[in-house]
Amino acid sequence: MRTLQMMGWIAMLGVLALSCFSSRTESQKETAATERVDPETRAMQLMQANCFTCHNPDLEIELRIAPPMFKIRDHYIDDTIRRESFVRQIVDFVNDPTEERAVMYGAIRNFGLMPRQQFNQRDLKLIAEYLYDNDVSSDAWYAKWDSFQKRQVPQQMNFSGYEEMGLQLANGTKAQLGSRLLGAIQSKGTAGAVSFCNIEALPLTDSMSKVFQASIRRVSDKPRNPANSANSRELSTMLKWKGQMEAGEPMSPVTFEKDGMVVGHYPIMTSAMCMQCHGQPGTQILQQTQDALSKLYPADQAKGYGPNQLRGIFVVEMSKREKDK
Ligand code: HEC
Ligand code: HEC
């Protein structure tokens, strides 16, 4: 149980690595397209980008890394609580998640305390108000959420819209991959799980990837699978980001057009959980895992990493919609 918690939390750190990246790019264009949409859509967009990576409303998700949002609402709301105090409690907890403030002890036991993250305060307040006003456990809400997911794509979409959409696709893939990996490690052990760090088997089923006929690849400057070798453009993105990380600067977003497609690059960072297959051979990568890896990947370069390093990039390709051409 303890390792499960730990790995869940560590997987979240991976999510965080990407979400840090997202919040930076988001704030830069905050004034643009998103401001024009109605408040309800705006709130859903904000929750999708900031909270649902962990508090996923999809109940069928295999390995949860946090309670779904409606459970949180249930714990905070009652007949007597005033809107302002509900909002303040949510905002205060998210800004400073501590056990003293928390009320969901079972969730803390199962998932560990929510990690501290940076959120835009105005957005956070909007999310909390939305949660007070809307019963996110009702069928009516799920119907709205469903139509939101279908609707939001064809909205007016400028170039920066592609960047955000690519980020969501990368985030979604990352979350699916993470839970599949964790599940496999738990049931088969690390050596048995080596065939699960692969995105080929992951269907990009959501509506956005269909509308944009999006595809997603993972590449690296030190690939395990030679088929995942970064090309020169991808290598230069990695080089730039490594330089920015060293200088303590944010990694700048990369999107460009190629053959009528919009291509986005998104960082893949290591967390402690990756070390058992990408860390130091002998100490972190156990012999049994090493044997399984050598058999499948004789030219493996993807070893010797530490946590929080740039392991590779997600390359998301989206076809431009007619009206943007
Ligand atoms: C990286 C994963 C992650 C993200 C992103 C995240 N949370 Fe959480 N959150 C958790 C986990 C795990 C818990 C359960 C443990 C706990 O209660 O601290 C939690 C619990 C909570 C709780 C209940 C705290 C308690 O125990 O009383 C609230 C409220 C909350 N989250 C709000 C939010 C909101 C609002 C957002 C989006 C702005 C958000 N969270 C984004 C992981 C996350
Ligand atoms: C159970 C072992 C295992 C774990 C744990 C693991 N990986 Fe992998 N990883 C692999 C294998 C095997 C491949 C080769 C997959 C393929 O053939 O495409 C791979 C490939 C990759 C690739 C594609 C580039 C390449 O080197 O071929 C990236 C990026 C990657 N892993 C990142 C991560 C990150 C980030 C983590 C931690 C969140 C992680 N991996 C955890 C085994 C693992």
Side-chain angles (χ1 to χ4, degrees), residues 32-259:
T34 43
E35 294 284 285
R36 270 180 261 125
V37 303
D38 65 278
E40 168 143 53
T41 305
R42 172 95 178 122
M44 291 224 189
Q45 285 173 340
L46 290 173
M47 285 196 297
Q48 186 179 42
N50 297 300
C51 315
F52 288 171
T53 357
C54 296
H55 298 294
N56 197 315
D58 179 3
L59 297 173
E60 277 123 57
I61 188 167
E62 228 174 78
L63 242 168
R64 289 210 151 272
I65 52 179
M69 203 48 111
F70 78 87
K71 287 237 167 98
I72 293 176
R73 182 179 192 269
D74 273 3
H75 273 85
Y76 277 76
I77 211 151
D78 62 37
D79 294 339
T80 58
I81 192 165
R82 284 171 44 241
R83 192 170 186 255
E84 301 83 82
S85 40
F86 175 92
V87 169
R88 202 183 47 243
Q89 281 174 30
I90 299 271
V91 168
D92 285 352
F93 177 82
V94 172
N95 280 330
D96 183 24
T98 60
E99 298 216 11
E100 290 71 53
R101 283 189 213 280
V103 296
M104 301 183 66
Y105 308 112
I108 295 180
R109 237 185 353 264
N110 286 333
F111 306 111
L113 191 66
M114 173 163 147
R116 185 189 302 269
Q117 300 158 79
Q118 286 283 319
F119 294 105
N120 175 309
Q121 291 304 303
R122 212 177 28 149
D123 293 352
L124 188 54
K125 186 153 171 277
L126 241 157
I127 291 172
E129 287 168 353
Y130 180 86
L131 282 176
Y132 182 86
D133 297 337
N134 293 273
D135 177 0
V136 293
S137 69
S138 64
D139 289 347
W141 184 80
Y142 270 92
K144 273 195 224 164
W145 166 240
D146 226 41
S147 93
F148 161 78
Q149 286 182 294
K150 296 201 179 92
R151 187 163 35 90
Q152 66 163 354
V153 176
Q155 274 169 12
Q156 77 279 25
M157 182 72 75
N158 48 24
F159 191 71
S160 71
Y162 287 92
E163 180 189 309
E164 201 160 305
M165 163 133 69
L167 177 68
Q168 281 185 25
L169 288 173
N171 270 337
T173 304
K174 195 185 174 78
Q176 278 190 55
L177 187 67
S179 65
R180 229 168 54 110
L181 249 183
L182 280 173
I185 290 172
Q186 279 170 333
S187 60
K188 301 170 203 295
T190 308
V194 294
S195 54
F196 285 78
C197 190
N198 191 320
I199 58 171
E200 241 83 282
L202 297 176
L204 285 175
T205 46
D206 60 63
S207 52
M208 289 195 300
S209 61
K210 281 191 192 123
V211 173
F212 288 85
Q213 297 165 344
S215 69
I216 187 160
R217 291 181 291 124
R218 279 185 323 177
V219 299
S220 177
D221 53 349
K222 286 175 28 181
R224 171 152 287 164
N225 184 338
N228 301 332
S229 304
N231 64 26
S232 57
R233 181 140 204 183
E234 293 153 358
L235 284 173
S236 77
T237 296
M238 291 193 72
L239 217 68
K240 180 170 84 176
W241 283 345
K242 283 180 185 177
Q244 289 174 329
M245 281 167 67
E246 253 164 55
E249 292 163 11
M251 289 180 263
S252 48
V254 175
T255 27
F256 54 93
E257 289 193 51
K258 193 185 128 215
D259 308 330

